[in-house]
Amino acid sequence: MMQIAAFLVFLAMGVTNLLAVQAGLTAVLGVPVLIALVVAVPVFYFRFVGSAAGIVGAIVGWQMSAPMAVLLFCWPVLVYGFLRGGAEARTFLARRAA
């Protein structure tokens, strides 16, 4: 069940990122929506370039604030950091207790 939920979350994140890149290309370059989608797919493929383009697209194309756009595309990294930090803290405390 957890794998299905994770798959659906990352699928939604990917579609959102792709649409944000498309909106940014449409807003900045003024190209038609279908051409922007065709150009957005290879840009979206590269991990950090696609995320950066998604953030810019959300700001320019969707008129989102910069902090909200960064949060929209970077929340998995923040959650991972929080979970990893908690695991490291538990490991450290377990060593001290032993």
Side-chain angles (χ1 to χ4, degrees):
M1 186 65 172
M2 193 64 158
Q3 288 104 356
I4 294 171
F7 172 76
L8 292 176
V9 166
F10 282 104
L11 179 66
M13 287 290 301
V15 170
T16 303
N17 194 350
L18 182 64
L19 293 176
V21 173
Q22 177 194 18
L25 287 171
T26 302
V28 172
L29 300 178
V31 295
V33 175
L34 289 177
I35 294 174
L37 182 64
V38 170
V39 172
V41 170
V43 170
F44 165 73
Y45 179 74
F46 295 102
R47 179 122 177 100
F48 296 111
V49 175
S51 294
I55 291 169
V56 171
I59 293 169
V60 175
W62 294 342
Q63 288 79 40
M64 216 178 224
S65 69
M68 285 304 296
V70 170
L71 186 61
L72 177 66
F73 292 107
C74 295
W75 70 266
V77 175
L78 298 174
V79 169
Y80 174 76
F82 178 74
L83 294 175
R84 180 66 186 198
E88 292 295 327
R90 277 183 274 142
T91 301
F92 177 76
L93 293 174
R95 279 192 222 148
R96 281 189 78 182

